[in-house]
Amino acid sequence: MSGNPNSEKTYKLVMTGLMMCLVTMAIMLFKIPVFQGYVHLGNSMMFMAVMVLGKKNGAIASGLGAALGDVIGGFAVWAPWSLVVSGGMALIVGLLMEKNKKVLGLILGGVFLVAGYYIAEVVIYGNVLAPMAGVPWNIGQYAFGIAIAYILTKALCKTPAEKYFAIKAD
């Protein structure tokens, strides 16, 4: 960046929109139907959004991208939940990553995501037992997202792009 405050704001705005789009596309293009919903690769792009943008803009891109993926994909009832759960997960992960507690951030972010979607299913379906079937899928989707994001981050660290990361990769 040139040090120009307007340039910094423009960069953040453009990158937030780009990461939001990547989250949406990862949700839309890579879906596996399960039970009453689907699993997707959106979490991998959410982790990338946090790495590139930091906690605040990473959470915005993650929440809005996930909600938009739900609306476009025909699951609009999930959009408000995805906005809060995915955005909250990204905020937790980003906050702890910025404090150099990456593993703790990933664990607590995963707990928040799984618990958040469990609560969403209880409210949407009106049953506390049926949503238990989705818990392993949410855990698997989250873990797979971490693995994909790790591979992508390691690849990007070998390019000049890493200098733009808000959170440096290990």
Side-chain angles (χ1 to χ4, degrees):
M1 282 318 118
S2 64
N4 178 343
N6 289 332
S7 176
E8 291 283 330
K9 287 180 182 178
T10 301
Y11 170 79
K12 283 280 191 182
L13 180 65
V14 169
M15 290 304 292
T16 301
L18 175 64
M19 293 309 299
M20 186 178 86
C21 182
L22 288 174
V23 169
T24 302
M25 294 310 295
I27 289 170
M28 297 298 305
L29 296 177
F30 304 101
K31 294 194 243 200
I32 301 168
V34 293
F35 303 108
Q36 308 263 350
Y38 56 91
V39 294
H40 55 75
L41 293 179
N43 289 339
S44 62
M45 292 301 108
M46 292 176 204
F47 297 128
M48 290 299 298
V50 170
M51 295 292 291
V52 172
L53 300 167
K55 65 182 178 279
K56 179 183 165 197
N57 287 61
I60 291 168
S62 296
L64 290 174
L68 188 58
D70 286 339
V71 170
I72 294 170
F75 291 87
V77 69
W78 289 96
W81 294 98
S82 291
L83 175 68
V84 173
V85 173
S86 295
M89 177 273 299
L91 186 64
I92 291 166
V93 169
L95 180 67
L96 289 163
M97 280 186 160
E98 286 178 0
K99 295 180 185 276
N100 244 357
K101 297 179 190 237
K102 293 178 179 163
V103 173
L104 180 61
L106 291 170
I107 291 169
L108 292 180
V111 168
F112 182 84
L113 180 114
V114 172
Y117 279 116
Y118 173 80
I119 292 167
E121 288 187 52
V122 167
V123 171
I124 290 170
Y125 302 125
N127 184 318
V128 295
L129 294 178
M132 293 300 280
V135 168
W137 290 101
N138 285 330
I139 292 170
Q141 174 178 283
Y142 188 81
F144 193 68
I146 290 171
I148 297 294
Y150 178 80
I151 292 166
L152 292 174
T153 300
K154 286 297 180 187
L156 286 173
C157 287
K158 296 178 181 182
T159 71
E162 186 189 27
K163 70 181 175 183
Y164 297 109
F165 279 26
I167 301 170
K168 299 301 178 201
D170 291 338

